Amino acid sequence: MTTIRINTPIPGPKSRALSARRTQAVPRGLSHGTPIYVAKAQDAWLEDVDGNRYIDFAGGIGCLNVGHRQARVTAAIQDQLGKYLHTCVQVTPYEGYVELAERMNKVTPGKFPKKTLFVNSGAEAVENAVKIARAYTKRPAIIAFEDAFHGRTMMTLALTSKTHPYKAGFAPFPGDVYRVPFAYCYRCSYNLKYPSCDLYCARHLEDTFKRVVANEEVAAVIAEPVLGEGGFVAPPSDYFKVLIDLCHKHNILFIADEVQSGFGRTGALFACERYGVEPDIIVTAKSLGGGLPLAAITGRAEIMDAPSPGGLGGTFAGNPLSCAAALAVLNIFEKEKLLDRANQLGERFQRRARGWQQRWPIVGDVRGLGGMQAIELVKSQEGKIPAAEETKQIMQYCYEHGLITITAGSYSNVIRVLVPLVATDEQIDEGLDVLEAALAAVCDNKNAVAQLV
Ligand SMILES: Cc1ncc(COP(=O)(O)O)c(C=O)c1O
């Protein structure tokens, strides 16, 4: 039995009516990947207000690795609902917060003593990681990467790379942020090839310390182990080891932003594990809360204790419902084979996508780590000019035919897969069939798609 069920033209009449209301009531700055208004969701599918059913390859942008409305997550939330909703942890603390901190300290990479702080969103967590790193090192500067995405608040926008639509028009941003090229091998900023490059991009940090910012001024280097919004770029396996050794040589902290790459997505609980590295501070969010807003900053105990009492916190930070949901998420990862599943999904995607790459020159790169997979679309495999318009057309074809996908990349030409890890093989194949049909429609029948858009 298929999961996808499309009964109306997309968007259907009820979604259209809601879109009209939304245009009047909500600022245009909040954009939507699709014009589909959701009525309910379960596991790896969602249904719209017109009764159409879709396979969800977006997972609320990577927040639903354990699936929509996972039974143990909703049970934990229900249980907490019967006790209390909010007290503010800074006023009357509760066990769920402490227990979750203990669990995070255990499951994050590194056997050293750790402490964890909870906040509400990925951006808020990155902000706090920067505060903590500065308080500990007593240094101001932060080094971030090209194609990085760390959030939409002012400090995280300073760290984020992509100009439109994220940064343009919102300056000035906080200072003391310096940007260097990432290990984006498909588009190497130095025009080199791995492995003969000998990880020049990582080693070049020494040069940055001479020509851009003095190493003794740098509090931390912050990186996503696999770029999320930047296009699912997974650096070579030895990259982070070289980078972190360099940081530590200069007493600079390494902050891993695992907001998108974390919680099982890459086939390990954290992508850092896939690289065999232990960050000084690790930032998590998204799938940590199983669908509720929650983010964590976990780090070496002595680093986390640098800010004075009262220096960290937030009214709703680490609220009881989110902590209960996250404890259930951790239990699920402990008991179920979701990490293996992430790898299986990744392999399934890669097999299909490599075939597409042979068939259609638009598929320039197929890449990812575990279940964090993507294709980068280009005008031609030789020229690598980003095919942003075609990417949009493919996305539109997909949602009109029952597959929710999202794009990524500094050039908006990457289609990424963040399907809940509980998706069945049949659902994955059904979703990939739609994506394949979309590629065929755009590549083989350009006129038909011109009418579509
Ligand atoms: C790597 C990374 N860091 C930070 C953020 C910001 O998280 P939030 O949207 O929860 O503020 C995101 C969001 O996509 C992300 O992918």
Side-chain angles (χ1 to χ4, degrees), residues 61 121-124 126 149-151 224 228-229 257 259-260 285-286:
I61 317 191
S121 69
E124 197 184 348
V126 171
F149 183 88
H150 295 291
E224 297 160 82
E229 303 302 303
D257 178 347
V259 168
Q260 196 155 159
K286 291 197 186 273

Side-chain angles (χ1 to χ4, degrees), residues 19 22 26-28 30-37 395:
S19 276
R22 172 248 186 259
V26 181
R28 66 189 183 125
L30 180 86
S31 63
H32 307 302
T34 75
I36 293 158
Y37 281 74
M395 213 188 110

Side-chain angles (χ1 to χ4, degrees), residues 259-272:
V259 168
Q260 196 155 159
S261 60
F263 275 84
R265 179 47 52 187
T266 65
L269 205 49
F270 304 100
C272 278

